[in-house]
């Protein structure tokens, strides 16, 4: 296709300064994504108060946000530097597979989070029965299972992932077909579901707020909607907005290319596409740190843990030496 040929030429003919800037920006985003989400996992591991059912989904989202750059970014970074795809067909197919799977895991996890908030705020009486630890683990397992199955119809139809010189990674071909439609099904159903869930949740919260204002003594006592539930719901919704802000332009670009059957945009647009896909993984650790005190405190502990531990060791050593001197006297 003419568009792909042009993009290949543009990729090879970049000036050295452009190569350096694009590589550094991409590396910076990848590094921050991995470190930020590792901090999320460590925070949940170290702080017992963070080991709640809703935070199970935060953990899975962090895992998918780490796995995506680790499995797919190294090939794209090398390609960005060299200006060409230097790997074989198997690497291309593996990268294309993991790009699709990890993106689906992220979206479906956000959808499970929205359903969790729906039951906690709207269907409060059923919440503890539906979202037990066992049920939550089953939901997460199904989420991963469905995501892993998404590429199967495309690959089983004889199609293969191809390197896209604009996006700098291997992806589906641009054509209208049933296997391509399944991708939009995987994106559309979760997006509609989480949108409806949050719409009902915020409708319920507005009614709850009016009840509280009208009668402070009977502030939705039977529904058990606490300020903590409201705060957690708002934080989760902000992460959804961040995800959709990054992935909506991506979906539009893919839709236009699929409808036209060719690459339709300049190389710079596709590079921005690549950055947006990885930038979505940076947002969640920042949101948790800014809006959740427990996460913020754990981030601080992780940043200064070495210094604090060293101080404790020094104090203990000083105390031991003082004790020995005292006993010798």
């Amino acid at each position: 296709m003419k568009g792909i040929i042009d993009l290949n030429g543009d990729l090879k003919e970049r000036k050295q300064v452009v190569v350096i800037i694009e590589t550094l920006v991409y590396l910076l985003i990848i590094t921050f994504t991995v470190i930020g989400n590792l901090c999320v996992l460590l925070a949940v591991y170290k702080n017992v108060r963070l080991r709640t059912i809703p935070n199970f989904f935060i953990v899975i989202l962090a895992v998918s946000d780490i796995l995506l750059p680790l499995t797919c970014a190294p090939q794209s970074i090398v390609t960005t530097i060299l200006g060409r795809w230097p790997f074989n067909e198997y690497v291309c197919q593996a990268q294309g597979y993991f790009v699709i799977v990890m993106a689906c895991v992220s979206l479906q996890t956000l959808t499970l989070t929205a359903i969790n908030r729906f039951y906690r705020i709207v269907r409060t009486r059923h919440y503890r029965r539906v979202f037990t630890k066992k049920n939550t683990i089953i939901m997460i397992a199904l989420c991963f299972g469905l995501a892993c199955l998404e590429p199967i119809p495309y690959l089983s139809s004889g199609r293969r992932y191809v390197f896209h010189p604009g996006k700098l990674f291997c992806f589906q071909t641009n054509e209208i077909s049933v296997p391509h439609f399944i991708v939009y099904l995987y994106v559309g159903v979760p997006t509609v579901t989480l949108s409806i869930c949050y719409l009902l949740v915020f409708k319920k919260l507005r009614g709850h707020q009016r009840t509280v204002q009208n009668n402070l003594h009977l502030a939705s006592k039977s529904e058990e909607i606490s300020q903590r539930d409201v705060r957690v719901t708002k934080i989760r919704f902000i992460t959804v907005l961040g995800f959709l802000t990054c992935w909506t332009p991506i979906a539009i670009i893919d839709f236009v290319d699929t409808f036209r059957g060719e690459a339709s945009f300049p190389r710079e647009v596709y590079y921005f596409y690549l950055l947006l896909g990885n930038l979505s993984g940076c947002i969640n650790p920042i949101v948790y740190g800014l809006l959740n005190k427990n996460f913020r405190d754990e981030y601080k502990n992780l940043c200064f843990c070495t210094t604090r531990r060293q101080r404790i060791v020094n104090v203990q050593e000083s105390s031991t030496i003082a004790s020995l001197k005292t006993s010798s006297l």
Side-chain angles (χ1 to χ4, degrees):
M1 276 180 278
K2 185 176 183 298
I4 294 295
I5 295 174
D6 290 342
L7 290 173
N8 266 313
D10 293 342
L11 182 62
K12 293 176 181 178
E13 295 170 3
R14 291 172 302 160
K15 295 180 180 179
Q16 187 173 6
V17 64
V18 175
V19 174
I20 294 172
I21 292 174
E22 289 184 351
T23 304
L24 289 178
V25 171
Y26 187 30
L27 274 173
L28 182 65
I29 292 175
I30 292 300
T31 302
F32 189 86
T33 297
V34 174
I35 293 176
N37 284 286
L38 281 175
C39 288
V40 170
L41 296 180
L42 287 172
V44 175
Y45 173 76
K46 288 177 173 290
N47 193 328
V48 178
R49 289 175 295 180
L50 290 173
R51 299 176 199 170
T52 61
I53 293 295
N55 285 354
F56 275 33
F57 302 114
I58 285 181
V59 168
I60 297 304
L61 194 59
V63 169
S64 66
D65 286 339
I66 291 172
L67 289 177
L68 179 61
L70 288 183
T71 56
C72 304
Q75 305 93 314
S76 296
I77 291 171
V78 174
T79 302
T80 304
I81 296 172
L82 297 180
R84 61 183 177 83
W85 178 261
F87 305 101
N88 60 32
E89 178 68 10
Y90 297 106
V91 176
C92 184
Q93 299 313 305
Q95 187 191 42
Y97 179 85
F98 283 112
V99 165
I100 294 291
V101 169
M102 291 301 116
C104 287
V105 168
S106 296
L107 180 56
Q108 289 172 183
T109 302
L110 288 173
T111 304
L112 287 177
T113 303
I115 295 172
N116 174 273
R117 292 297 86 198
F118 170 78
Y119 271 94
R120 187 68 189 94
I121 302 298
V122 181
R123 295 287 185 264
T124 309
R125 295 179 181 178
H126 305 288
Y127 177 77
R128 297 188 184 280
R129 178 173 57 84
V130 174
F131 281 92
T132 62
K133 184 177 180 180
K134 180 181 177 181
N135 288 347
T136 303
I137 292 174
I138 292 173
M139 292 176 194
I140 291 170
L142 289 174
C143 170
F144 268 94
L146 286 173
C148 291
L149 290 175
E150 194 282 333
I152 301 302
Y154 178 83
L155 295 173
S156 62
S157 68
R159 295 174 174 84
R160 291 293 177 263
Y161 299 115
V162 295
F163 171 67
H164 193 294
K167 299 174 182 178
L168 298 172
F169 62 87
C170 293
F171 198 59
Q172 295 182 166
T173 55
N174 296 319
E175 58 180 299
I176 300 175
S177 66
V178 173
H180 287 77
F181 173 76
I182 292 175
V183 175
Y184 293 102
L185 194 64
Y186 265 78
V187 172
V189 173
T191 302
V192 171
T193 301
L194 68 86
S195 299
I196 293 174
C197 285
Y198 278 115
L199 181 66
L200 295 174
V201 163
F202 282 107
K203 181 180 178 181
K204 181 72 173 183
L205 289 178
R206 282 196 297 270
H208 170 71
Q209 187 176 10
R210 286 194 295 268
T211 302
V212 172
Q213 292 173 347
N214 293 335
N215 195 331
L216 294 175
H217 298 290
L218 300 176
S220 195
K221 198 171 183 181
S222 62
E223 299 175 34
E224 300 178 351
I225 301 178
S226 65
Q227 286 301 312
R228 181 178 178 278
D229 291 326
V230 175
R231 186 171 63 253
V232 168
T233 301
K234 289 180 178 179
I235 292 174
R236 300 297 187 272
F237 183 66
I238 291 173
T239 62
V240 170
L241 287 180
F243 184 89
L244 293 179
T245 299
C246 291
W247 284 88
T248 299
I250 291 175
I252 293 173
I253 292 171
D254 282 340
F255 179 79
V256 172
D257 283 354
T258 300
F259 182 77
R260 296 192 61 186
E262 63 178 357
S264 309
F265 300 93
R267 191 189 67 82
E268 291 76 14
V269 172
Y270 290 112
Y271 177 72
F272 183 62
Y273 173 113
L274 175 71
L275 296 184
L276 280 177
N278 289 277
L279 191 62
S280 65
C282 298
I283 295 174
N284 297 337
I286 296 174
V287 171
Y288 306 147
L290 291 176
L291 301 180
N292 188 304
K293 186 179 183 302
N294 289 329
F295 272 106
R296 186 164 59 249
D297 291 342
E298 287 304 320
Y299 287 174
K300 292 177 182 177
N301 291 337
L302 290 171
C303 290
F304 300 106
C305 62
T306 303
T307 304
R308 291 183 178 181
R309 287 176 181 174
Q310 189 60 46
R311 287 177 180 173
I312 292 172
V313 170
N314 292 338
V315 170
Q316 290 175 343
E317 289 179 350
S318 300
S319 301
T320 303
I321 293 171
S323 300
L324 291 173
K325 286 182 178 179
T326 303
S327 59
S328 63
L329 293 174

